[in-house]
Amino acid sequence: MSAPSAGFTGTKHGVCNLCEAICGLKISIANDVVTSIRGNDEDPLSRGHICPKGVALADIYTDPDRLRRPVRRTGTGADATWTEISWDEALDAVADGLAKAVNENDKNALGIYVGNPNAHSLGSMTHGFELIKTFKTRNKFSASSVDQIPHMYVGMLQFGHQLLLPVADIDRTSYFLVFGANPVASNGSLMTVPDFPNRVRDLKARGGQMVVFDPRRTETAKVATEHHFIRPASDAVVLLAMVNTLLSENLATPPSYVDNLDALQAAIAEFTPEYAASVSGVDAETIRRVAREFAAADGAAAYGRMGLSTQGFGSICQWAINLLNLLSGNFDRVGGVLFPEPAIDVVKNGLLSSGHFDVWRSRVRGMPEFGGELPVSVFREEIDTPGEGQIKAVLTLAGNPVLSTPDGRRLSESFAGLDFMASVDIYLNETTRHADVILPPTTALERDHYDLVFHALSVRNTARFTPAVFEKEPDALHDWEIFQQIAARTNARINAKKPLLQRVSERVRMSMSPTLMVTLLLALGRKTSMKQLRQHPEGVDLGELRPTMPKRLGTKDKRIDLAPAPLVADLDRLRSTLPVPAEGELVLIGRRHKQDCNSWTHNLERLHRGKPRHQLLMNPADLAARGITDGALVRITSRVGSVEIDVAAADDMMPGVVSLPHGYGHQVGGTRMGHASGVAGVSINDLTDPERLDVSGNAALSGVPVTVEALVTEKVPQPA
């Protein structure tokens, strides 16, 4: 009898798909077992950078809690049991359940939720969104409306496309102005910027500045040349005051292809530095000084992220960021902000539509759609409210909205009352525990990868194709293969038939593999080829960002409106409803850590070693005013709910502001995530309010009014 053949031993190229930095990796393998993961020094974008998440990538592949076969639920709640079933049985059960909801009601009886991991999977980008299109339901939701919709909405209004988003030329700028963003922890967001800490060191070494405005002294603020506390949800007023300063002091040097400068100046005349100081906690002279320095710098870039997008005035904030860059002469300028030119240009080739707004509205609250999606804040009411168009069945694709969307606890209750639910996911988690069937795809190390989105948001033009590190198991399916089958089997069971040409077109698009699609799209773009990328798995350098305007604009007249009517109209709401905390009230903001990626990675023990990081952070003066001791157990209460958590004194917090991390709260029965369930922490989204929205429909997760009271005065013991 011959000995079994040994597995692969050696080094392979890989990519970390856990965040937007898309870092290139070198993966060492011994007999098909990953022994180490390190950054790839030869990668032209990530330059050898790796963070703790990348090191833990193989832990997902080997996680014993990861589902590897389809499972079906019997029973509910604590009595639920899960049984492995065949792919045919599972896919037929999903098709039967989804088709029944549509046939017995209408197309809108199906609700679909798309989670953040889909943007990090090639198969989801090529086939997941095709699957969604085949169903024609208006009840589509995604993590985008608790994230970046204000960026996309303003991009559509000003630049003519929802993904025409300017990127800071961080490697050549001399003045980087940051509002509500923490790229040291996030590795950049809507700005693909791996190795950000070293890029900041280079910025400061060449005499440049990074100025940060944030209600917490974040990891980014701590390496900045200057940091200013700012009251949550007042960013829009401060930013508009800076724009006002540029205009009133004749510092504005806008490009020739802008319109409505006078209308803009009239619209924001009231937003003076003195007014901004009265509501923000930032003094008027600082606002003026920073605006003047920004205009005078030899290349400056303004950037704002989650702290701006996830507040009640997110769209005005992003508009004001654009205005600062435009009016200071730093738009489409080396050292300012520029637009990437990726090898596969999802803007230019039409892979992603230019966007639309308010084509239809939600059934219950009448909230407008954006880009074909309704705000996820209305998801629960669309399930719970009887009548035509009520959601009866839900399909979730790699998402955990119970932990990641407003008032998640009540959304969980709504999921429990559905007629049918199916999930494409690798875990039995807080959301998928409500599914009747879970279909688990392969993981990142088992599938080919090309980043369709993040190359389009990168601080340098590069391209990289990464073949699968490991072959998938014989009876496993990739996500795109699962989407193929759901589409084919479900549409075959739906009574209302589509025209023949439409059915054939859908079938052809779904039949191509993602790798074949990438090969064809690269050939169309003519910047590189699949052959070249396979020869250079470290990636191909396509050069620094360069000016491309106004030719690259998506507007019909190739001009930029400085004063889009919907944003100017929203200024009235800003003037009248800027939140002022009541007596004894605090405002809550979120935070993230370098070791976390939303709620995805809490089952990986490697990422939760060391000091706990789940606590409520609170300024010592606020603790003293309430008679609360450092480490005590407290109750946090908002309009929608309460949670109990231990508190940590933090001078890094602005007085009047408290902070909880996002993505925690795994202590829920009926899941199968052994390590995550033991990670201390609560879900911040048991406190966030689905009625607090930006004009774009994005949830206002930041700046939530709360009260904090002591439950136990002595210090809570921390996990070992």
Side-chain angles (χ1 to χ4, degrees):
M1 183 175 178
S2 61
S5 59
F8 175 82
T9 295
T11 300
K12 290 190 176 184
H13 287 81
V15 59
C16 178
N17 71 335
L18 293 180
C19 81
E20 298 178 41
I22 61 174
C23 295
L25 307 175
K26 287 285 189 72
I27 302 177
S28 298
I29 301 168
N31 198 20
D32 281 345
V33 175
V34 173
T35 56
S36 73
I37 298 179
R38 62 190 187 278
N40 185 358
D41 294 331
E42 299 172 349
D43 189 290
L45 178 62
S46 59
R47 314 185 309 188
H49 178 73
I50 189 171
C51 82
K53 293 188 293 292
V55 176
L57 194 64
D59 297 352
I60 300 174
Y61 176 64
T62 59
D63 190 346
D65 288 336
R66 175 170 71 89
L67 299 176
R68 290 164 169 78
R69 308 284 182 276
V71 291
R72 169 182 268 161
R73 176 173 56 82
T74 304
T76 60
D79 298 325
T81 58
W82 293 87
T83 306
E84 283 192 3
I85 56 177
S86 70
W87 278 105
D88 269 338
E89 185 180 356
L91 290 162
D92 280 342
V94 170
D96 288 341
L98 301 182
K100 181 180 179 183
V102 173
N103 290 336
E104 293 183 355
N105 300 279
D106 60 29
K107 64 183 181 182
N108 296 319
L110 172 60
I112 301 175
Y113 178 83
V114 181
N116 178 262
N118 290 279
H120 302 259
S121 166
L122 175 60
S124 289
M125 292 301 299
T126 57
H127 289 68
F129 292 98
E130 284 294 331
L131 165 68
I132 295 165
K133 288 179 188 176
T134 69
F135 289 132
K136 306 300 181 186
T137 177
R138 289 186 169 185
N139 283 316
K140 293 174 286 190
F141 311 90
S142 83
S144 294
S145 57
V146 286
D147 193 333
Q148 80 276 4
I149 291 296
H151 293 258
M152 299 167 74
Y153 178 54
V154 174
M156 180 190 73
L157 291 176
Q158 291 202 282
F159 309 136
H161 198 287
Q162 62 180 319
L163 209 65
L164 266 180
L165 306 178
V167 173
D169 189 14
I170 188 69
D171 293 332
R172 293 179 287 182
T173 195
S174 65
Y175 199 102
F176 190 37
L177 179 60
V178 179
F179 273 76
N182 189 11
V184 168
S186 70
N187 298 311
S189 184
L190 297 185
M191 176 181 68
T192 297
V193 57
D195 198 23
F196 181 78
N198 277 325
R199 295 178 197 268
V200 172
R201 291 188 193 101
D202 292 343
L203 165 66
K204 293 194 287 188
R206 59 179 182 264
Q209 298 182 66
M210 180 169 70
V211 179
V212 174
F213 287 76
D214 201 290
R216 181 170 73 92
R217 191 176 292 107
T218 63
E219 293 84 348
T220 300
K222 289 176 181 177
V223 299
T225 52
E226 194 174 318
H227 167 247
H228 301 280
F229 283 132
I230 183 170
R231 191 166 294 131
S234 70
D235 308 82
V237 178
V238 172
L239 285 162
L240 289 174
M242 289 181 177
V243 175
N244 200 343
T245 299
L246 297 184
L247 294 171
S248 63
E249 297 187 6
N250 296 316
L251 299 174
T253 55
S256 61
Y257 44 87
V258 300
D259 296 319
N260 295 321
L261 180 60
D262 291 343
L264 169 66
Q265 189 159 8
I268 68 170
E270 297 174 45
F271 294 97
T272 63
E274 284 72 23
Y275 172 66
S278 71
V279 298
S280 69
V282 183
D283 68 86
E285 186 49 41
T286 295
I287 294 171
R288 284 195 176 90
R289 176 180 59 80
V290 171
R292 291 166 184 158
E293 290 175 354
F294 190 84
D298 182 18
Y303 168 69
R305 192 52 192 100
M306 288 296 285
L308 300 194
S309 294
T310 58
Q311 59 168 273
F313 306 103
S315 292
I316 293 179
C317 286
Q318 297 304 336
W319 172 40
I321 288 280
N322 286 345
L323 292 175
L324 273 179
N325 289 319
L326 281 158
L327 297 179
S328 64
N330 286 295
F331 182 82
D332 197 43
R333 172 189 177 183
V334 170
V337 294
L338 294 159
F339 291 83
E341 299 172 273
I344 297 179
D345 194 334
V346 296
V347 172
K348 186 176 179 180
N349 63 25
L351 273 181
L352 184 69
S353 77
S354 59
H356 48 77
F357 180 69
D358 204 9
V359 175
W360 68 83
R361 294 198 165 209
S362 65
R363 179 178 61 101
V364 179
R365 209 189 311 178
M367 296 303 300
E369 60 77 39
F370 175 78
E373 295 180 6
L374 291 171
V376 74
S377 292
V378 308
F379 198 178
R380 178 179 64 84
E381 64 204 44
E382 293 297 329
I383 296 173
D384 291 350
T385 307
E388 185 177 352
Q390 179 185 8
I391 296 174
K392 298 287 189 177
V394 163
L395 174 65
T396 67
L397 308 181
N400 193 359
V402 168
L403 289 191
S404 57
T405 67
D407 204 8
R409 186 180 293 156
R410 287 188 177 87
L411 179 62
S412 180
E413 295 168 0
S414 299
F415 283 157
L418 288 165
D419 291 349
F420 182 79
M421 180 170 168
S423 296
V424 179
D425 208 291
I426 63 172
Y427 284 117
L428 177 53
N429 62 29
E430 295 77 18
T431 293
T432 63
R433 68 194 174 110
H434 296 295
D436 294 275
V437 178
I438 306 175
L439 306 171
T442 55
T443 61
L445 295 182
E446 303 165 90
R447 58 189 186 227
D448 295 349
H449 190 67
Y450 183 94
D451 279 286
L452 289 173
V453 173
F454 303 118
H455 283 306
L457 300 169
S458 178
V459 297
R460 188 175 183 88
N461 291 313
T462 64
R464 181 185 57 225
F465 176 78
T466 307
V469 174
F470 296 118
E471 292 288 331
K472 69 174 183 177
E473 296 180 23
D475 56 347
L477 293 181
H478 295 308
D479 49 9
W480 63 273
E481 294 173 312
I482 295 172
F483 300 146
Q484 273 184 338
Q485 290 297 317
I486 293 175
R489 297 185 192 217
T490 306
N491 282 298
R493 289 163 166 80
I494 291 176
N495 294 335
K497 298 303 179 187
K498 303 171 189 173
L500 177 61
L501 186 59
Q502 183 180 346
R503 281 182 280 150
V504 171
S505 176
E506 289 175 355
R507 201 167 298 167
V508 169
R509 291 197 300 271
M510 294 290 279
S511 66
M512 287 191 287
S513 73
T515 301
L516 176 58
M517 287 189 183
V518 168
T519 302
L520 297 175
L521 290 167
L522 288 169
L524 181 66
R526 298 184 177 182
K527 289 185 172 70
T528 185
S529 65
M530 179 60 79
K531 180 180 179 180
Q532 185 182 25
L533 294 186
R534 287 188 182 277
Q535 290 171 342
H536 296 278
E538 75 281 3
V540 171
D541 188 8
L542 301 176
E544 296 173 313
L545 304 188
R546 60 175 187 163
T548 59
M549 293 291 158
K551 182 179 179 181
R552 190 156 165 74
L553 287 172
T555 53
K556 290 181 180 179
D557 58 1
K558 299 296 180 182
R559 298 186 67 80
I560 297 171
D561 184 359
L562 293 177
L567 302 178
V568 172
D570 201 35
L571 291 176
D572 287 338
R573 186 173 65 94
L574 178 61
R575 293 184 189 96
S576 61
T577 62
L578 193 66
V580 177
E583 183 69 27
E585 201 170 53
L586 301 162
V587 287
L588 174 68
I589 63 171
R591 69 179 187 272
R592 69 176 300 166
H593 306 113
K594 190 180 295 185
Q595 300 93 327
D596 295 333
C597 191
N598 303 320
S599 63
W600 309 6
T601 55
H602 290 153
N603 212 49
L604 308 181
E605 184 273 337
R606 182 195 305 260
L607 295 180
H608 293 276
R609 298 168 186 167
K611 293 172 60 177
R613 50 184 187 269
H614 64 277
Q615 300 97 328
L616 178 74
L617 299 185
M618 194 166 175
N619 186 277
D622 291 324
L623 288 174
R626 290 158 180 79
I628 302 172
T629 57
D630 182 17
L633 182 67
V634 298
R635 177 183 291 122
I636 318 165
T637 302
S638 72
R639 188 190 74 84
V640 302
S642 296
V643 297
E644 298 177 3
I645 192 68
D646 43 312
V647 67
D651 291 319
D652 290 337
M653 296 304 304
M654 181 180 185
V657 183
V658 294
S659 173
L660 278 174
H662 169 70
Y664 285 69
H666 299 283
Q667 296 76 26
V668 175
T671 66
R672 194 181 296 170
M673 299 180 71
H675 184 74
S677 62
V679 173
V682 295
S683 174
I684 190 174
N685 286 310
D686 288 342
L687 299 169
T688 54
D689 190 339
E691 293 187 8
R692 300 181 71 250
L693 298 174
D694 175 55
V695 67
S696 66
N698 207 84
L701 306 177
S702 187
V704 177
V706 296
T707 59
V708 178
E709 59 182 322
L711 293 180
V712 178
T713 56
E714 63 267 18
K715 194 167 185 176
V716 176
Q718 295 300 314

